[in-house]
């Protein structure tokens, strides 16, 4: 119906989404939006031809990098992590800049399929509320990746590490999503999930995968139906 009513449409070509809590649809939509943004940036002159070419070259490496993240699931890494946190009643997810929406999506996935209350919050506003919630029982998931070729990304990363230290100072439990070979965040975190390096604009495609896996394994450990969560339905079936 949407494609009939809209002036134009971009198809994700992701195939049917069986589970109510969309995962591959989210990733595919991010992919489509990156391609659209790159195209518009080049057409409008905001993105040089060389920059667009480099971005697309890096983009073609993303599927392989996702495969390496999924391989960690085969080792039982996320299942082990889930065993430690499936009894928790609350989670906090923090992200800065373009990583904030990924924090929101990570929190949404957890609450949708495990029925654990989870909140995504801008890391820069942590002192304006979430700080009051932090104690030794609250797991805090922090998105703290970095792209060393992008000064703005490095600045965001350094501020995210500061957030991690603030959580630890209040006895919170920190699960950090970081880029490989990150020593600064490693020292300050309780649990570390490492991702392959990627450009700042593409790393959200990698960040969401471990958040989806963590939500999945926690839900399974709690005995929840991950495909048909209670009280939810695919958006196409309801108004």
């Amino acid at each position: 119906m949407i494609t009939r009513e809209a002036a134009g449409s971009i198809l994700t070509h992701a195939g049917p989404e069986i589970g109510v809590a969309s995962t591959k649809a989210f990733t595919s939509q991010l992919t489509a939006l990156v391609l659209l943004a790159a195209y518009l940036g080049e057409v409008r002159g905001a993105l040089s031809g060389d920059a667009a070419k480099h971005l697309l070259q890096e983009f073609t490496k993303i599927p392989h990098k996702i495969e390496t993240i999924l391989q960690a699931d085969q080792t039982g890494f996320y299942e082990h992590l889930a065993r430690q946190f499936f009894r928790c009643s609350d989670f906090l997810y923090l992200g800065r800049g373009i990583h904030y929406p990924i924090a929101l999506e990570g929190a949404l996935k957890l609450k949708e399929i495990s029925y654990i209350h989870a909140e995504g919050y801008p890391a820069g506003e942590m002192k304006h509320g979430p700080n009051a919630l932090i104690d030794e029982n609250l797991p805090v998931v922090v998105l703290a990746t970095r792209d060393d070729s992008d000064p703005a990304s490095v600045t965001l990363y350094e501020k995210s590490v500061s957030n991690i230290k603030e959580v630890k100072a209040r006895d919170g439990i920190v699960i950090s999503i970081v880029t490989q070979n990150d020593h600064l965040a490693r020292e300050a975190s309780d649990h570390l999930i490492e991702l392959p390096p990627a450009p700042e604009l593409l790393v959200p495609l990698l960040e969401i995968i471990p958040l989806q896996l963590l939500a999945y394994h926690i839900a399974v450990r709690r005995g929840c139906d991950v495909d048909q969560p209670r009280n939810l339905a695919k958006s196409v079936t309801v108004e």
Side-chain angles (χ1 to χ4, degrees):
M1 180 180 292
I2 292 176
T3 57
R4 290 196 298 269
E5 296 293 333
S9 59
I10 299 175
L11 302 181
T12 58
H13 299 289
E17 183 83 67
I18 304 303
V20 169
S22 294
T23 49
K24 67 176 181 178
F26 179 83
T27 307
S28 299
Q29 287 168 355
L30 279 186
T31 300
L33 290 172
V34 169
L35 292 173
L36 175 63
Y39 172 75
L40 291 176
E42 192 170 8
V43 169
R44 292 171 62 86
L47 192 67
S48 70
D50 288 342
K53 182 179 179 180
H54 174 71
L55 184 65
L56 292 178
Q57 285 175 338
E58 289 295 323
F59 193 70
T60 62
K61 301 175 185 177
I62 292 297
H64 174 70
K65 293 178 179 181
I66 289 177
E67 285 290 341
T68 64
I69 297 171
L70 292 174
Q71 285 171 6
D73 190 33
Q74 302 301 315
T75 67
F77 174 81
Y78 292 98
E79 187 176 3
H80 175 71
L81 205 56
R83 282 201 298 268
Q84 300 178 63
F85 297 110
F86 77 98
R87 291 190 178 90
C88 293
S89 57
D90 300 279
F91 266 74
L92 179 63
Y93 289 69
L94 299 176
R96 289 177 177 268
I98 62 173
H99 311 285
Y100 167 50
I102 306 302
L104 289 175
E105 176 68 8
L108 177 63
K109 283 294 159 281
L110 186 68
K111 71 178 75 170
E112 279 184 320
I113 63 175
S114 75
Y115 317 142
I116 293 175
H117 170 257
E119 182 177 3
Y121 215 82
E125 298 180 19
M126 193 175 87
K127 293 181 180 179
H128 298 279
N131 260 7
L133 300 174
I134 298 172
D135 60 18
E136 66 278 4
N137 298 313
L138 181 69
V140 181
V141 180
V142 183
L143 295 169
T145 53
R146 63 182 290 169
D147 175 7
D148 288 329
S149 66
D150 185 339
S153 172
V154 174
T155 299
L156 287 181
Y157 163 78
E158 291 170 348
K159 291 181 177 181
S160 296
V161 171
S162 177
N163 287 127
I164 292 171
K165 292 178 178 178
E166 284 189 58
V167 173
K168 288 305 300 175
R170 291 159 179 78
D171 298 323
I173 307 164
V174 178
I175 305 170
S176 294
I177 314 292
V178 302
T179 306
Q180 285 173 351
N181 301 318
D182 184 314
H183 301 293
L184 199 58
R186 177 187 295 276
E187 294 174 359
S189 306
D190 296 290
H191 305 275
L192 212 66
I193 298 175
E194 294 186 294
L195 304 180
E200 177 75 357
L201 291 177
L202 300 181
V203 76
L205 287 163
L206 304 180
E207 289 176 332
I208 190 56
I209 306 299
L211 300 186
Q212 292 169 343
L213 289 170
L214 181 61
Y216 168 79
H217 283 288
I218 288 178
V220 169
R221 177 65 57 173
R222 289 167 67 91
C224 303
D225 185 339
V226 296
D227 288 325
Q228 299 293 328
R230 68 189 183 199
N231 305 331
L232 299 180
K234 296 301 286 184
S235 58
V236 74
T237 66
V238 293
E239 185 174 333

